[in-house]
Amino acid sequence: MADGANLNSPLCSEQFGSGAARGCMAAADGSLQWEAWGCRWWEFSGAFTAKPQGRDGGGGGALGAASPPLSGLVAVFLPQGFPDSVSPDYLPYQLWDSVQAFASSLSGSLATHAVLLGIGVGNAEASVSAATATWLVKDSTGMLGRIIFAWWKGGKLDCNAKQWRLFADILNDVAMFLEIMAPIFPVFFTVTVCTSNLAKCIVSVAGGATRAALTMHQARRNNMADVSAKDSSQETLVNLAGLLVSLLMLPLVSGSPSFSLGCFFFLTALHIYANYRAVRALVIETLNEGRLRLVLKHFLQRGEVLGPTSANQMEPLWTGFWPSLSLSLGVPLHRLTSSVSELQQLVEGHQEPYLLRWDLSQNQVQVVLSQMAGPETILRAATHGLVLEALQGDGPLPRGLEELRNRVRAGPEKDNWVIVRDTHQVLDKLFPKFLKGLQDAGWKTEKHQLEVDEWRATWPLSPEKKVL
């Protein structure tokens, strides 16, 4: 009886990732009888039986039968440990990203077909040397553009990764449109394809850099290399499918420019829509200036802190490049003051490791950071600047800030430094509540995506200077 009871009781269990566990019982013949896996879309179903092994580890045991139930095809294209090893927004983003990549692949085939026609492929009168020269000029223009754009905007791509990702894909569509139109105006063919290639090189910098930033967001187990590699595999599969479809599509459109242009516009519309849905699916838990502005505005007006999901859904994707307030963090001290009296005025009331100047006429806030300023200090400095912006707007504010708003509207601009000093006192009470609300809502406040320059400074300290 005891032996029979033992045969029916689980001997051990196993589970894959965060999936449901399955038990294992002893069969009558001494083998191990595993329970069936749940019917999840990436798993096998059915019972798995492992035969007993000899003492030397041999025997006829089917070891592969008891392996984790991730199918071979899915394991090729998804990171190890999926879905626990990636962010919750990984799957919807990758699905829409695959749709846009497929549409872009087909559009690229149409554009390449047009460029090859333009340089003389299939034309007996075309000069090989002229076609080669055009191609070299086109590539050289793009290389220079890539270097200049990386120098000009490279430091800003992390801060607004979603906006730059969308910008890159729209610019890519513009570049392909120029390539399709190039053969129609042969006199301007070289200029057109050079402009197109310049745009494509900017796309490669902006798209590649933002893809790296999003990969860092998606990787949750220090598996950035694996996530990046599987993303490359997914893109290769989609491009292969696009290549096969292009082989069928090009003979149909090659004889009809109007039909080719119509197909391009349809694919472009699909490409932009899929890109928008992909970027909108992202839920980034770190604060950049746009998300901080949304969260702070909601907090000042309603006393509640928006969570990452709500804030990311509300974050502007088209206007994030041109904020209403010019907020500069990490500016040099010599830009803010040129005399001892100005420095004393700037330092007065600043007990935090940053100095802030508000230029109301130019709607500009400039912040000097101390050598001791950490992420929390930078977050407070940015919050301070956005609070000053809120004093110029409408809508309800806490009592202390409402009084300051009335003073801003009534007082002369030369007294702005007094307002800045007084907002420090309001923030001493307001910011700790806001910071705790951010942490409780799921924001990662130990790091940020605010644009900060490298300048740091020291100055005569106000009493009880804080280090955050």
Side-chain angles (χ1 to χ4, degrees):
M1 295 295 294
D3 293 337
N6 291 334
L7 289 175
N8 293 325
S9 60
L11 295 177
C12 52
S13 65
E14 66 178 6
Q15 69 181 83
F16 184 76
S18 61
R22 66 168 183 168
C24 176
M25 295 181 295
D29 60 354
S31 63
L32 298 178
Q33 184 69 41
W34 291 92
E35 294 177 353
W37 288 106
C39 296
R40 297 167 68 178
W41 67 274
W42 65 80
E43 293 176 350
F44 295 119
S45 61
F48 296 81
T49 302
K51 297 297 182 181
Q53 299 180 357
R55 292 184 179 181
D56 59 354
L63 297 179
S67 62
L70 192 63
S71 69
L73 181 62
V74 174
V76 171
F77 295 104
L78 292 177
Q80 181 178 354
F82 174 86
D84 305 299
S85 61
V86 292
S87 59
D89 56 12
Y90 177 84
L91 189 59
Y93 175 82
Q94 293 299 125
L95 289 175
W96 283 112
D97 189 57
S98 298
V99 173
Q100 69 85 18
F102 180 75
S104 180
S105 178
L106 297 182
S107 299
S109 299
L110 294 174
T112 302
H113 179 261
V115 171
L116 292 177
L117 287 177
I119 64 175
V121 174
N123 185 355
E125 299 178 357
S127 169
V128 175
S129 59
T132 303
T134 300
W135 202 270
L136 292 177
V137 171
K138 175 180 75 72
D139 287 349
S140 301
T141 304
M143 292 175 186
L144 291 175
R146 181 184 289 111
I147 294 173
I148 294 173
F149 181 78
W151 161 76
W152 181 36
K153 291 294 185 181
K156 304 177 186 297
L157 299 178
D158 284 296
C159 303
N160 294 295
K162 294 195 289 186
Q163 287 84 351
W164 281 110
R165 181 74 177 176
L166 194 59
F167 166 82
D169 285 299
I170 293 176
L171 183 60
N172 190 50
D173 290 330
V174 173
M176 288 189 290
F177 175 73
L178 290 175
E179 290 180 340
I180 288 179
M181 299 300 294
I184 301 177
F185 305 100
V187 177
F188 304 104
F189 179 81
T190 301
V191 175
T192 304
V193 295
C194 287
T195 304
S196 171
N197 199 56
L198 175 63
K200 282 192 171 184
C201 288
I202 293 175
V203 168
S204 69
V205 175
T210 53
R211 178 64 251 187
L214 296 180
T215 300
M216 290 181 63
H217 157 70
Q218 292 175 333
R220 294 302 167 94
R221 288 184 180 173
N222 294 322
N223 58 338
M224 182 176 172
D226 185 29
V227 173
S228 179
K230 297 304 169 57
D231 178 72
S232 178
S233 297
Q234 295 168 24
E235 186 174 358
T236 301
L237 178 65
V238 171
N239 288 337
L240 179 60
L243 177 63
L244 296 177
V245 175
S246 296
L247 292 175
L248 301 176
M249 177 182 68
L250 288 177
L252 300 177
V253 302
S254 58
S256 176
S258 59
F259 183 52
S260 175
L261 199 59
C263 290
F264 174 77
F265 284 135
F266 169 76
L267 292 171
T268 298
L270 176 61
H271 180 239
I272 294 176
Y273 175 74
N275 266 293
Y276 176 82
R277 291 296 302 270
V279 171
R280 187 55 82 187
L282 290 169
V283 180
I284 300 177
E285 300 96 343
T286 49
L287 290 163
N288 64 359
E289 186 176 335
R291 291 187 287 273
L292 179 60
R293 177 179 280 106
L294 283 171
V295 174
L296 179 63
K297 181 179 179 181
H298 192 271
F299 175 75
L300 294 177
Q301 293 182 351
R302 303 187 183 182
E304 302 173 350
V305 175
L306 289 172
T309 302
S310 300
N312 277 270
Q313 288 295 318
M314 298 167 61
E315 182 182 6
L317 299 178
W318 308 105
T319 60
F321 302 108
W322 304 280
S324 55
L325 174 75
S326 176
L327 177 62
S328 302
L329 300 170
V331 301
L333 183 57
H334 70 261
R335 187 183 298 176
L336 270 63
T337 180
S338 59
S339 66
V340 175
S341 60
E342 287 182 354
L343 178 60
Q344 291 174 343
Q345 185 183 86
L346 193 64
V347 171
E348 183 179 351
H350 284 70
Q351 295 183 351
E352 305 295 328
Y354 68 88
L355 301 178
L356 186 148
R357 187 179 73 176
W358 182 27
D359 189 340
L360 185 57
S361 61
Q362 298 184 7
N363 198 23
Q364 184 180 57
V365 171
Q366 295 177 303
V367 179
V368 177
L369 296 173
S370 166
Q371 297 281 4
M372 298 176 288
E376 192 172 309
T377 295
I378 296 173
L379 184 59
R380 169 166 170 145
T383 302
H384 194 165
L386 296 178
V387 164
L388 294 173
E389 178 188 33
L391 298 181
Q392 300 176 262
D394 299 320
L397 291 175
R399 180 179 301 177
L401 292 178
E402 188 66 45
E403 296 173 357
L404 289 175
R405 174 193 280 171
N406 295 332
R407 289 170 53 189
V408 169
R409 292 174 176 176
E413 292 184 3
K414 65 180 181 179
D415 293 336
N416 286 347
W417 69 274
V418 180
I419 302 296
V420 172
R421 182 193 63 191
D422 293 344
T423 51
H424 266 294
Q425 300 175 3
V426 176
L427 282 175
D428 285 340
K429 298 179 180 178
L430 193 67
F431 183 73
K433 298 178 182 178
F434 180 58
L435 182 63
K436 186 177 185 306
L438 289 174
Q439 294 168 347
D440 292 343
W443 292 100
K444 297 179 179 178
T445 58
E446 67 277 6
K447 56 184 179 179
H448 59 77
Q449 290 181 328
L450 298 166
E451 185 181 342
V452 184
D453 207 345
E454 297 301 316
W455 288 94
R456 298 295 184 270
T458 59
W459 55 83
L461 305 182
S462 291
E464 299 180 0
K465 184 176 178 181
K466 301 177 183 178
V467 179
L468 299 180

